[in-house]
Structures are given as structure tokens and as C-alpha cells.
């Protein structure tokens, strides 16, 4: 897959959500919410500021990120469901 997002956009792959609760109950797919975490697959060059300068993005390929429930646009490429979102839609980077 050769994708390069433009400007301050980021390509994110949603991470699989747990199908079991802490107490061992299995959550059916129909009842499960979409996960709000993902892995960054590609990033754009950066945000273009009003003075024409480019500010590089804070996220990088491989980062695990948190985003809002309705963030970004879902696209299907090479059979994979990916999300295209602006960097401002990302709420946090998950560190270990």
C-alpha cells in the first residue's frame, strides 16, 4: 500500500477491540463499539501555517493513538478499513 496523506492528515488503522470483558463475558460484534485506538500508518508533511511555513506533525508512523468516536473518514483500501483524519482529531499518543 502506497499512501501519502496530504498536509496535516494522518492514515490510521483501528486496533482490534477486546471481545471479552474483565469478568469473562463475551461481547457480540453487534453490541461492540468501534475502538477508539489505532496505529498510525502514514503521515503528511505537516500543517501549513498562515505565513506559508510548514509545521511538522507531532505523530509519526508506528505511534499508537487515541481519537474521538466520530473522528476522521473511513476508507477501504486493498481490503483494509483505514481512517483518514487530521492531526487535530487525535487526542493523545499512547506510550508504554
Amino acid at each position: 500500500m502506497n499512501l501519502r496523506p496530504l498536509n496535516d492528515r494522518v492514515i490510521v488503522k483501528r486496533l482490534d477491540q477486546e471481545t471479552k470483558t474483565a469478568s469473562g463475558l463475551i461481547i457480540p460484534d453487534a453490541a461492540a463499539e468501534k475502538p477508539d485506538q489505532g496505529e498510525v500508518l502514514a503521515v503528511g508533511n505537516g500543517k501549513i501555517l498562515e505565513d506559508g511555513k510548514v509545521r511538522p506533525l507531532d505523530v509519526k508512523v508506528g505511534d499508537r493513538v487515541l481519537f474521538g468516536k466520530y473522528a476522521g473518514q473511513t476508507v477501504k483500501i486493498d481490503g483494509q478499513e483505514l481512517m483518514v483524519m487530521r492531526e487535530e482529531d487525535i487526542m493523545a499518543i499512547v506510550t508504554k
Side-chain angles (χ1 to χ4, degrees):
M1 170 179 61
N2 292 324
L3 278 179
R4 186 176 61 90
L6 300 176
N7 301 326
D8 64 336
R9 288 185 176 82
V10 177
I11 307 290
V12 177
K13 179 181 178 186
R14 284 187 194 266
L15 296 177
D16 293 332
Q17 188 169 3
E18 293 293 323
T19 56
K20 241 184 205 183
T21 64
S23 61
L25 296 174
I26 297 175
I27 303 170
D29 289 339
E33 291 186 14
K34 290 183 180 179
D36 56 358
Q37 289 188 34
E39 180 183 354
V40 176
L41 298 181
V43 296
N45 292 332
K47 183 170 179 82
I48 299 174
L49 304 174
E50 289 182 17
D51 61 2
K53 294 181 182 175
V54 177
R55 182 187 58 82
L57 301 181
D58 291 330
V59 296
K60 61 185 181 303
V61 174
D63 281 348
R64 188 174 180 167
V65 295
L66 293 176
F67 49 85
K69 188 182 240 182
Y70 303 107
Q73 177 70 38
T74 304
V75 295
K76 196 166 193 172
I77 298 175
D78 294 339
Q80 284 189 4
E81 207 170 276
L82 304 174
M83 296 187 60
V84 179
M85 64 181 72
R86 292 191 178 275
E87 184 188 35
E88 63 192 30
D89 292 338
I90 296 174
M91 296 186 285
I93 298 173
V94 179
T95 57
K96 296 179 183 180

